[in-house]
Amino acid sequence: MLDYRFIKDNLAAVKKNITDRNMNADADLVVELFDKRTALVTKLQSLQQKRNDNAKAMKGKLPDEERRRLIEEGKAIKEEIAACEKETAEVEAALEAEGRRIPNMAHPDAPVGAVDSDNLEVKRVGTPRAFSFQPKDHVQLGQDLDLIDFDEGTKVAGSKFYYLKNEAVFLELALVQYALNILRRHGFTPFITPDVARADILQGIGFNPRGNESNVYTLEGEDTCLVATAEITLGGYHSGEILPKDKLPLMYCGLSHCFRREAGAAGQFSKGLYRVHQFTKLEMFVYCLPEDSDTLHEKLRLIEEEIFTGLGIPFRVVDTCTGDLGAPAYRKWDLEAWMPGRNGGEWGEVTSTSNCTDYQSRRLNVRYKDDDGKNKYVHMLNGTAVAVSRALVAVLENYQNEDGSITVPPALVPYCGFDRIAR
């Protein structure tokens, strides 16, 4: 969340940022509640001082009438304090609820726009393959080669669930191992994270764990949810801690299953593995000093580029527009891979990386002790190393052959043990 004083002192900029992000939040109300809380805290401190003065006055030998007056005065002050504390707690709860709705400020260079079509392409790597035959989409390839079973997945678990079979199982594991080894070379500490997290951790990261707009599955009778990304569990790992400055940056990568309701997601762009309720993902996460976050954000994007360049998949990089950033992100880069079977050949998002500055660390209370002795909030960044389901879409469609077989990208062969998939 943003600092309340920052919102008050930069109200016009904050309101413009809310508009640019196409979000619904009331910055005026946040300022009103912030001022009210400040006044109540001042009032409470004054009442507490009066209570202390009253207690001091009660010491020693006093006339009975004076003692009775001080006792009555003390009772009245106690009642005032209780009422003020109750009102302060109510205002603080309302302030936090409204403050959490205010999105992070966007990077000044982030393109202003409402939807992903307003994203700005900044780089293109590789050239989409020119096929001498009509390429199939990954759904058809998966069925023809007995790699993916959507029908049985739907029967057993519901729509947008699936079974990976045969060589696709090895491809998934190969993609994970391939990406993990790249991250290890870049100094990341690997984790296999829980697939469940507490609701307050989700809220701290910026996910809404409840309501019709929530994209996560809540566990009935528990104050927990299935995670939508290991960003949640890696970001919560140091919640409530003060990190040693000399240990920063902390660079973690987490392997987890990801569960997403994907409410309202339908149509051609969501076909097959592209948008599903469960998938495997290897996520990068960084805790760092504020002055280092822009440089590290660039590093995360370059690692994503390295992964897909090594796979031989054509992709482009886009600077994500304000309306598509999501509340926590200050700036976000997306990698979109060329998918020949997607609507006759289109770009499809395969990774993203976000610099969330101190937006998440304020909510999760993750700080470091600076050289001046003060505790300050770290910056937190995240990035997809590989979301396996979408990576599989790109691999299967780009490496298909006219005879219906699929050539395995050379970078994956050492991890899966075969170089071709055929019936």
Side-chain angles (χ1 to χ4, degrees):
M1 63 194 341
L2 293 179
D3 178 71
Y4 298 134
R5 175 63 63 182
F6 176 88
I7 297 172
K8 179 180 173 67
D9 293 344
N10 300 273
L11 184 58
V14 171
K15 291 168 73 171
K16 182 180 184 301
N17 183 62
I18 293 169
T19 300
D20 288 346
R21 285 175 173 259
N22 199 29
M23 298 186 75
N24 183 25
D26 193 339
D28 288 316
L29 179 56
V30 170
V31 172
E32 178 186 330
L33 290 167
F34 174 65
D35 287 342
K36 188 173 182 179
R37 186 193 68 172
T38 301
L40 283 167
V41 169
T42 301
K43 179 182 177 182
L44 184 59
Q45 290 171 342
S46 176
L47 286 169
Q48 289 167 340
Q49 183 60 51
K50 285 178 66 177
R51 179 186 61 191
N52 293 340
D53 292 342
N54 176 269
K56 288 179 183 178
M58 291 280 289
K59 294 179 179 178
K61 187 172 179 65
L62 296 170
D64 291 345
E65 185 176 340
E66 178 65 9
R67 184 172 293 279
R68 283 194 296 269
R69 185 189 69 78
L70 289 171
I71 289 172
E72 291 303 317
E73 181 183 85
K75 289 180 180 178
I77 293 172
K78 183 178 180 180
E79 291 174 358
E80 279 191 88
I81 288 176
C84 189
E85 286 176 337
K86 181 175 182 294
E87 186 177 5
T88 301
E90 291 171 350
V91 171
E92 284 182 338
L95 175 60
E96 182 173 350
E98 291 298 326
R100 285 180 178 273
R101 297 174 61 194
I102 305 291
N104 199 358
M105 299 299 290
H107 190 286
D109 292 338
V112 177
V115 292
D116 58 5
S117 57
D118 295 319
N119 295 343
L120 178 66
E121 180 180 330
V122 296
K123 186 176 186 179
R124 192 172 288 199
V125 176
T127 303
R129 177 182 167 190
F131 288 88
S132 60
F133 58 94
Q134 182 62 41
K136 302 174 183 176
D137 66 24
H138 72 282
V139 176
Q140 188 63 55
L141 290 164
Q143 291 173 345
D144 292 348
L145 296 171
D146 198 24
L147 301 175
I148 315 168
D149 197 326
F150 293 102
D151 292 337
E152 298 304 308
T154 299
K155 181 182 76 175
V156 171
S159 63
K160 293 191 177 294
F161 287 95
Y162 56 95
Y163 286 88
L164 291 184
K165 301 174 61 180
N166 299 315
E167 291 92 342
V169 174
F170 292 91
L171 276 181
E172 165 148 335
L173 299 175
L175 282 163
V176 170
Q177 284 279 69
Y178 161 72
L180 263 175
N181 276 282
I182 289 175
L183 296 185
R184 179 167 58 179
R185 290 199 298 271
H186 283 283
F188 284 79
T189 300
F191 290 77
I192 294 178
T193 79
D195 287 338
V196 174
R198 298 200 324 264
D200 63 303
I201 298 296
L202 271 81
Q203 289 174 324
I205 288 294
F207 281 79
N208 176 16
R210 300 179 183 86
N212 293 333
E213 296 182 0
S214 175
N215 197 28
V216 298
Y217 291 99
T218 57
L219 301 182
E220 186 176 358
E222 303 282 343
D223 192 29
T224 56
C225 307
L226 298 176
V227 300
T229 167
E231 174 192 350
I232 295 166
T233 41
L234 292 176
Y237 190 77
H238 288 298
S239 61
E241 296 182 20
I242 298 175
L243 305 175
K245 183 179 180 180
D246 60 357
K247 298 297 184 183
L248 298 175
L250 296 174
M251 302 200 304
Y252 295 159
C253 62
L255 180 65
S256 76
H257 294 108
C258 303
F259 302 88
R260 303 188 182 187
R261 292 177 60 238
E262 300 292 6
Q268 169 67 22
F269 292 164
S270 300
K271 187 176 181 180
L273 291 176
Y274 189 79
R275 197 179 299 279
V276 289
H277 290 315
Q278 177 184 337
F279 58 96
T280 301
K281 180 156 71 82
L282 181 62
E283 182 78 0
M284 300 178 285
F285 198 90
V286 175
Y287 298 83
C288 71
L289 298 174
E291 59 266 29
D292 295 336
S293 65
D294 283 338
T295 299
L296 286 165
H297 191 208
E298 182 82 2
K299 177 182 176 70
L300 294 186
R301 195 199 79 225
L302 290 173
I303 291 171
E304 293 176 346
E305 292 185 23
E306 178 184 347
I307 289 170
F308 278 84
T309 298
L311 290 172
I313 303 292
F315 63 87
R316 66 176 187 170
V317 179
V318 298
D319 194 354
T320 307
C321 72
T322 53
D324 199 34
L325 278 176
Y330 168 69
R331 196 175 201 183
K332 180 159 76 84
W333 306 100
D334 285 351
L335 259 65
E336 298 179 348
W338 182 252
M339 298 180 178
R342 180 179 165 93
N343 202 29
E346 285 189 353
W347 304 102
E349 181 191 331
V350 286
T351 75
S352 66
T353 177
S354 299
N355 181 357
C356 297
T357 62
D358 60 359
Y359 188 85
Q360 295 171 323
S361 60
R362 286 181 180 276
R363 298 157 73 111
L364 291 168
N365 195 26
V366 186
R367 297 170 292 169
Y368 70 97
K369 187 176 291 293
D370 207 352
D371 296 336
D372 59 9
K374 295 181 180 179
N375 293 329
K376 299 176 182 178
Y377 291 101
V378 300
H379 278 198
M380 296 164 75
L381 303 93
N382 64 81
T384 308
V386 62
V388 174
S389 56
R390 292 192 179 182
L392 281 173
V393 172
V395 167
L396 296 179
E397 293 186 359
N398 280 281
Y399 279 91
Q400 61 181 295
N401 302 309
E402 189 168 6
D403 63 2
S405 67
I406 294 170
T407 301
V408 176
L412 298 183
V413 173
Y415 300 105
C416 64
F418 50 85
D419 59 10
R420 187 169 175 270
I421 303 171
R423 289 303 294 264

